[in-house]
Each structure stands twice: as structure tokens, then as C-alpha cells.
Amino acid sequence: MGPGSVSSVLKMVLDVAYVLLWLITGLLLLLVIAAIFIPLDNVNITVSGDAGGKQLPLTRTLLLFGLGAATAYFGGFMLILRSLRRIIRTLTMGDPFQPDNVRRLRQIGLTLAVVTGGVWLAQGFVAKRLAPGVMDPQGLGELLTPIFSVLIVFVLAEVFREGARLRRESELTI
């Protein structure tokens, strides 16, 4: 803990990743706006999977769906990194057991759950509606690791809540 520690290096890495995600999300948002006005005459895309490939016409709805999904995905992880950076900042200062970190961890868990669910639903939609026979929808088994990760984050939030409570109690002890 403190300046010059591993947490300081981690904070710098997270800062760089956050800026990159911010730039990617901003670029994707601009592409979503531009996609509203781009003419799409006779443009095809190839969707490929284990079973081969399939050519589909690129419609405005498909383009907006893809760009919107990518924007939401990167935006969600940008929100996660923002909260994680703030948690690491308190760790670098030597005071990680703050009530704000409990809220931040809960936000990370919720955002991770929403992103995971959104990816699962989007992949199912693409496999069923846009590329049937080319892509297989994800099964519930593919959700086990992400669900476990979300649960770990919520457990960590409770650990931090208890740490903050114990710290508060020790400050009141004379």
C-alpha cells in the first residue's frame, strides 16, 4: 500500500486502460451517430462460424445494433474501470476500507452482471435471428464463470463493508 507500491503501478495501468476505453467508446458512439446517415446500398457482410459462412445484406438496423452493442460493451467496462480506479486510489492512500468502496464494488458487480447478460442475449439474438445455422447460441453453461465472478465481487463488497464498520468502531474506541 501507499506510493511506490504495486497498487501505484496498477493504478497507472488502469489509468491508461481507462483512457483507451474512453477513446474507443467515444469513437464507437460517433460511429453510431454516423451510421444513421451513411448510405448502405448493396453492402454485404459475411458472418462465419464453425459451420461455414453466410452473406447477409448490411441493413441500417443491423449496423446500429452491432455498433450500439459494441458501444454498450466498451462503455460498461469503462464504468467498471472508473470505479476500480477509485478503489485503487484509496488503496494507494492506505485507506481502502471506506464506505464509498463498498458502493463502488456493488456498482462493479451490477455493471458486470448487466454486461454479461447483454452479451449473452446479443449473441443469442445474432445466432437465432441474424445468422441461424452459422452461429450457435451460448448455453447457460457459458454463464457459470461470469456469474461466479459477479458473486465474488458482491462478496468482496460485503468484506469491505465489514472492514469499514470495524474501522469506524476502532476510531470510536478511546
Side-chain angles (χ1 to χ4, degrees), residues 38-60:
I38 295 173
L40 298 174
D41 300 330
N42 298 323
V43 178
N44 292 324
I45 61 169
T46 302
V47 180
S48 60
D50 295 335
K54 182 178 182 180
Q55 285 242 331
L56 298 171
L58 182 61
T59 63
R60 188 162 321 281

Side-chain angles (χ1 to χ4, degrees), residues 81-102:
L81 276 184
R82 184 185 70 188
S83 295
L84 195 55
R85 287 175 58 230
R86 290 177 179 169
I87 291 170
I88 295 295
R89 186 179 309 137
T90 63
L91 183 64
T92 304
M93 292 185 314
D95 189 20
F97 293 108
Q98 297 180 2
D100 285 342
N101 283 346
V102 175

Side-chain angles (χ1 to χ4, degrees), residues 115-135:
V115 167
T116 299
V119 166
W120 189 76
L121 290 172
Q123 285 181 341
F125 175 76
V126 168
K128 198 159 202 105
R129 300 280 183 178
L130 301 178
V134 177
M135 288 180 63

Side-chain angles (χ1 to χ4, degrees), residues 5 12 14 23 30 38 41 56 59 62 65 76 81 89 91-92 99 108 121 148 155 160:
S5 66
M12 286 190 308
L14 288 174
L23 290 172
L30 289 173
I38 295 173
D41 300 330
L56 298 171
T59 63
L62 181 61
F65 173 78
L81 276 184
R89 186 179 309 137
L91 183 64
T92 304
I108 289 171
L121 290 172
F148 188 69
V155 167
F160 270 70

Side-chain angles (χ1 to χ4, degrees), residues 9-173:
V9 173
L10 183 59
K11 184 185 176 313
M12 286 190 308
V13 170
L14 288 174
D15 287 344
V16 170
Y18 179 75
V19 169
L20 288 175
L21 274 175
W22 194 91
L23 290 172
I24 291 168
T25 304
L27 177 65
L28 285 169
L29 191 57
L30 289 173
L31 287 174
V32 167
I33 293 168
I36 296 170
F37 304 105
I38 295 173
L40 298 174
D41 300 330
N42 298 323
V43 178
N44 292 324
I45 61 169
T46 302
V47 180
S48 60
D50 295 335
K54 182 178 182 180
Q55 285 242 331
L56 298 171
L58 182 61
T59 63
R60 188 162 321 281
T61 305
L62 181 61
L63 181 61
L64 289 174
F65 173 78
L67 288 173
T71 304
Y73 182 80
F74 285 106
F77 279 105
M78 187 178 67
L79 293 175
I80 289 172
L81 276 184
R82 184 185 70 188
S83 295
L84 195 55
R85 287 175 58 230
R86 290 177 179 169
I87 291 170
I88 295 295
R89 186 179 309 137
T90 63
L91 183 64
T92 304
M93 292 185 314
D95 189 20
F97 293 108
Q98 297 180 2
D100 285 342
N101 283 346
V102 175
R103 180 184 47 79
R104 290 175 184 135
L105 280 167
R106 288 179 181 160
Q107 286 174 345
I108 289 171
L110 183 61
T111 305
L112 188 57
V114 168
V115 167
T116 299
V119 166
W120 189 76
L121 290 172
Q123 285 181 341
F125 175 76
V126 168
K128 198 159 202 105
R129 300 280 183 178
L130 301 178
V134 177
M135 288 180 63
D136 293 327
Q138 284 190 332
L140 291 177
E142 282 87 3
L143 285 178
L144 290 178
T145 301
I147 288 173
F148 188 69
S149 300
V150 169
L151 291 176
I152 287 174
V153 172
F154 282 119
V155 167
L156 277 174
E158 290 307 306
V159 169
F160 270 70
R161 186 182 61 79
E162 185 63 17
R165 186 188 66 77
L166 289 173
R167 191 190 83 190
R168 201 171 38 251
E169 281 182 11
S170 71
E171 288 172 349
L172 295 176
T173 306

